[in-house]
């Protein structure tokens, strides 16, 4: 029987690093991506074209994109852009793919970018449309698509409506994000089912955080619902700056372990991911790793930093 | 809509404590069970009537059973018995329910109890039959029902055959155990489906370990396959002697969190479980807790031991 394939976008270089207290050199970021690529990762969210004043960690976005394109031309590179200005910087740097982020609630948008939901939606739509005119590949995140830290449970109908708006504005891939890691598997199943009624499930990706230890269970619920595209972050690095209570992303190694042991092909080697985790630990100076990491390290004889 | 209920047997007092280096007093065991009961747990695996020389931690089995029956008459109490001799001790102590353990492979039985699979099966059958004659409630574990540390992947047909044998011998509940925590959700789904073809799914329970961080995902796969009876261990206490340092059993708090957030009723309060985890930490002198514990402690303002 032919194995089904899942596509994992490693978001450690962007979602993982953006809030770290330690400033990471451009060379450090490139080396992390090199190690991910060596492990078999074929898609990364490389950086973010946000204001360097707001997020100094991402000030080298143009350099990161240019150098990765030169060094790893076959790696799929996505870059976050907050608006048309960010898009223009991304395009000038040679970014082949951009992603916009639309939070699903009024309060999250107001707190995060000082816009209401209608304004934020319009900015994302305009950015997507322009990106398509420029011939770029496009993703749109629907953030806090399960629970908002300010408004609580987000209505399913809102998530479906916003996802549909992003799709119509030109997003080739819609990423449903559990930004604060508050989802449970039954909710994942219900949301995916509703979204799959709205557009092709192959356009849908899921972005999970592991705050409550349910990241892998939520990913399994999404897999069972037919999703084959996932964000994950090697070592579980990450968190959300504007969302109180957010902890790390679902770890790439946890997702790969679960998927491969369940008969899916990821193209990614666990031993290579452990090497990337070890490198990320040396960059950040602290222990990292997903829920499987104690076992993986015994299995492959790798030692965590102490 | 009426909520579906799941039944959780907390195995911390037996599976959790039996391999701990620290000797736990009878009073300590009783207090742990009291706190579990106060949290809403209605079923525990209280102790094991094994040889006190082999497992000194369980030497007070008769006393534990007698005192718990007196103090908490409504709590469902299961006790492990290795054979007819253990059964007789359990019966004399007033145990209302026993469980036998049958490992699914030749090598595991030889290493564990120096019997081949046929001998071990016969011992379990005889013990179950006698327990039914004595009017006791009965469970039968099929251990290493996924992967054996010596023989690798265990054939599904073997697991189904052994479960059927235990059922025919009088086991009222069959517990499929991922003894070394090597299962993945696709395997759980496949095994449950095959077993549910053989006998009523309400007779089936699942016992998971969290060695690779997939405990909650595996529990979700079992829930989706229709299983409503689970073993779990508060704080994730436990572990398998074949994987030293491995994470222990699926933590009761992780299972309760996932199930309740997915719309199932457990009757168990997370805050009460945190209290039991804190008590277990004081008994064992080390930090405990499942994958959700960092979040739960923030949520309920409890502090881990340091």
């Amino acid at each position: 029987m032919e194995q089904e394939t899942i596509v994992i976008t490693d978001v450690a270089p962007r979602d993982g690093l953006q809030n770290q207290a330690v400033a990471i050199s451009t060379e450090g970021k490139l080396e992390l991506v090199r190690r991910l690529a060596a492990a078999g990762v074929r898609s990364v969210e490389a950086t973010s074209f946000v204001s360097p004043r707001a997020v100094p960690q991402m000030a080298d976005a143009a350099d990161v994109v240019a150098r990765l394109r030169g060094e790893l031309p076959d790696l799929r590179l996505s870059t976050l852009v907050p608006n048309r200005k960010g898009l223009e910087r991304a395009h000038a740097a040679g970014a082949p793919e951009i992603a916009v982020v639309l939070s699903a609630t009024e309060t999250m948008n107001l707190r995060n970018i000082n816009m209401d939901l209608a304004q934020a939606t319009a900015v994302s739509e305009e950015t997507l449309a322009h990106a398509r005119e420029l011939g770029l590949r496009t993703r749109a995140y629907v953030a806090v698509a399960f629970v908002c830290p300010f408004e609580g449970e987000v209505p399913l109908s809102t998530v479906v409506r916003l996802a549909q708006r992003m799709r119509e504005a030109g997003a080739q891939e819609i990423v449903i994000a559990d930004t604060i890691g508050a989802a449970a598997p039954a909710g994942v199943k219900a949301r995916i089912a509703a979204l799959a009624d709205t557009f092709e499930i192959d356009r849908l990706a899921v972005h999970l955080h592991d705050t409550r230890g349910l990241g892998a269970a939520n990913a399994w619920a999404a897999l069972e619902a037919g999703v084959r595209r996932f964000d994950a972050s090697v070592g579980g690095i990450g968190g959300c700056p504007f969302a109180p209570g957010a902890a790390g992303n679902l770890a790439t190694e946890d997702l790969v372990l679960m998927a491969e042991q369940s008969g899916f092909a990821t193209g990614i080697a666990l031993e290579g991911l452990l090497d990337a985790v070890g490198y990320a630990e040396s960059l950040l100076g602290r222990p990292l790793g997903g829920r499987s990491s104690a076992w993986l390290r015994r299995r492959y004889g790798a030692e965590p930093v102490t």
Side-chain angles (χ1 to χ4, degrees), chain A:
Chain A
M1 203 175 79
E2 207 185 332
Q3 278 191 306
E4 272 200 88
T5 295
I6 72 168
V7 177
I8 297 174
T9 296
D10 200 298
V11 299
R14 198 282 304 174
D15 200 15
L17 295 183
Q18 77 178 1
N19 305 306
Q20 303 296 328
V22 181
I24 309 297
S25 68
T26 304
E27 180 51 37
K29 294 170 187 171
L30 297 175
E31 181 60 21
L32 178 61
V33 175
R34 280 182 207 120
R35 291 182 189 225
L36 290 172
V41 171
R42 279 160 292 186
S43 175
V44 299
E45 193 172 76
T47 187
S48 175
F49 287 90
V50 285
S51 153
R53 243 171 324 175
V55 188
Q57 190 75 273
M58 296 289 135
D60 58 358
D63 201 20
V64 166
V65 167
R67 293 182 60 187
L68 286 177
R69 287 206 74 191
E71 257 192 61
L72 297 163
D74 296 333
L75 185 67
R76 182 175 157 192
L77 284 187
S78 186
T79 61
L80 218 72
V81 301
N83 50 33
R84 184 149 168 172
K85 188 173 159 197
L87 167 63
E88 277 156 11
R89 283 176 59 212
H91 183 56
E97 173 170 336
I98 59 94
V100 300
V101 178
L102 175 62
S103 295
T105 67
E106 295 288 352
T107 316
M108 190 73 182
N109 281 295
L110 288 168
R111 301 274 186 122
N112 195 355
I113 55 172
N114 199 31
M115 292 182 194
D116 65 22
L117 179 56
Q119 290 171 308
T121 305
V123 166
S124 286
E125 287 176 326
E126 184 208 354
T127 307
L128 286 170
H130 192 53
R132 297 297 295 142
E133 286 164 21
L134 294 171
L136 303 187
R137 221 175 164 286
T138 50
R139 306 178 99 198
Y141 282 91
V142 180
V144 293
F146 293 85
V147 176
C148 170
F150 308 110
E151 298 189 16
E153 175 99 2
V154 178
L156 174 54
S157 57
T158 303
V159 174
V160 171
R161 178 172 55 81
L162 294 175
Q164 186 61 30
R165 291 275 294 266
M166 294 299 97
R167 184 83 190 92
E168 286 163 3
Q172 293 166 297
E173 195 171 314
I174 305 291
V175 192
I176 299 301
D178 178 23
T179 309
I180 61 167
V188 172
K189 180 182 174 180
R191 268 156 215 251
I192 301 300
L195 289 162
D197 282 345
T198 310
F199 48 78
E200 320 90 289
I201 198 155
D202 195 47
R203 299 285 184 185
L204 196 63
V206 171
H207 175 108
L208 297 165
H209 283 241
D210 203 14
T211 317
R212 302 185 188 184
L214 300 181
N218 289 336
W220 180 252
L223 270 167
E224 283 283 85
V227 171
R228 295 293 178 267
R229 296 178 181 277
F230 290 86
D231 281 4
S233 174
V234 73
I237 313 171
C240 174
F242 309 106
N249 291 71
L250 171 63
T252 309
E253 58 270 32
D254 292 351
L255 178 58
V256 169
L257 177 70
M258 182 176 72
E260 293 276 346
Q261 292 202 351
S262 286
F264 292 94
T266 65
I268 299 173
L270 287 164
E271 201 165 2
L273 289 178
L274 276 187
D275 173 66
V277 173
Y279 182 72
E281 288 179 326
S282 73
L283 283 180
L284 297 172
R286 60 184 176 86
L288 299 167
R291 310 290 179 169
S292 61
S293 69
W295 182 79
L296 286 175
R297 282 174 158 135
R298 279 198 307 279
R299 167 74 180 76
Y300 293 106
E303 287 301 319
V305 292
T306 48

